[in-house]
Amino acid sequence: MDDNKHIIICVGRQLGSGGHDIARMLALDFNAKYYDQELLNLAAKESGFSEKFFEANDEQRGIFRSLFHLHASHLSDNNLYQNNFSQESLFKFQSDAIEKAANEGSCVFVGRCADYVLRNRDNVVNIFISASKRFRIEQIMAKQKLDFPAARKFMQQREAKRAAYYNYYTGKKWGAAESYDLCIDASILGIVETEKMIAEFIRKRFKI
């Protein structure tokens, strides 16, 4: 890779694995912009749809059931897609936002099929972060203020939706090793040391 070319890091993650924290640390390490919820802001700005609409349907397949429960003010009067709106249109808005951000400089993207959207670029590295079930449930218990059974159910439901979304749009299997350049279990070394290992892998990958 050309030394002057920026790098793109796409982070897939199991719920509760610490993927968001690791992605933020990677962004700091590589002086890159961090995109997670921020992608929804970009997509909303580009499309003319309300940000709330994107938030309500974030990483979910079958999103159009919710369209009919939204107030009309959530849609722009001059939106080009309004008369022929489809699930794929919403995905396209977000994909366009990913492409635009990737063109502007080094980025770390969390989820949202960014690895698939940017699959034809040679300056992209795809990471998947997993963790033990207990580690993830305990993280969710702390963040969501849930007991163990409720946290386990929350994890299972959210991950099922995330996997369905990824599989539907990419034609690949969410979390499968062949879909990524590096898969790592953050519960073995902890979040900080895991991030260090990933950063070292990226430096070697791009010889920087």
Side-chain angles (χ1 to χ4, degrees), residues 6 18 85 93 100 114 141 144 167 170 174 179 187 196:
H6 56 264
F85 200 81
F93 289 138
K100 183 175 181 180
M141 287 171 65
Q144 301 294 330
N167 297 347
T170 69
W174 179 77
S179 296
S187 59
K196 289 180 181 178

Side-chain angles (χ1 to χ4, degrees), residues 7-38:
I7 65 170
I8 308 297
I9 304 168
C10 299
V11 178
R13 73 286 182 219
Q14 286 186 310
L15 200 69
S17 65
H20 290 92
D21 294 334
I22 290 170
R24 286 188 182 279
M25 287 188 281
L26 288 170
L28 289 173
D29 263 359
F30 291 95
N31 193 28
K33 290 187 177 180
Y34 172 88
Y35 291 101
D36 182 8
Q37 290 292 114
E38 292 82 359

Side-chain angles (χ1 to χ4, degrees), residues 115-131:
D115 59 320
Y116 176 77
V117 173
L118 304 173
R119 64 193 179 280
N120 294 322
R121 298 180 183 232
D122 62 5
N123 61 331
V124 175
V125 60
N126 299 316
I127 311 294
F128 190 83
I129 300 167
S130 63

Side-chain angles (χ1 to χ4, degrees), residues 17-73:
S17 65
H20 290 92
D21 294 334
I22 290 170
R24 286 188 182 279
M25 287 188 281
L26 288 170
L28 289 173
D29 263 359
F30 291 95
N31 193 28
K33 290 187 177 180
Y34 172 88
Y35 291 101
D36 182 8
Q37 290 292 114
E38 292 82 359
L39 276 175
L40 307 182
N41 302 339
L42 286 174
K45 182 178 179 181
E46 292 297 315
S47 68
F49 282 86
S50 166
E51 184 183 337
K52 291 181 180 179
F53 181 72
F54 284 87
E55 288 176 354
N57 298 292
D58 188 23
E59 288 193 312
Q60 294 188 55
R61 185 172 167 243
I63 55 181
F64 280 87
R65 286 192 296 270
S66 64
L67 175 62
F68 302 103
H69 299 293
L70 290 173
H71 191 275
S73 64

Side-chain angles (χ1 to χ4, degrees), residues 17 20 49 72 77 123 140 166 169 178 191-193:
S17 65
H20 290 92
F49 282 86
D77 290 336
N123 61 331
I140 293 167
Y166 182 88
Y169 283 110
E178 60 265 26
I191 290 172
V192 172
E193 291 302 318

Side-chain angles (χ1 to χ4, degrees), residues 138-171:
E138 287 176 352
Q139 293 290 313
I140 293 167
M141 287 171 65
K143 290 184 178 181
Q144 301 294 330
K145 310 300 181 187
L146 300 172
D147 61 18
F148 192 93
R152 180 174 56 192
K153 183 177 181 181
F154 180 86
M155 180 183 74
Q156 292 170 341
Q157 291 177 338
R158 290 289 295 274
E159 283 200 344
K161 290 180 179 179
R162 183 175 291 175
Y165 178 89
Y166 182 88
N167 297 347
Y168 177 77
Y169 283 110
T170 69

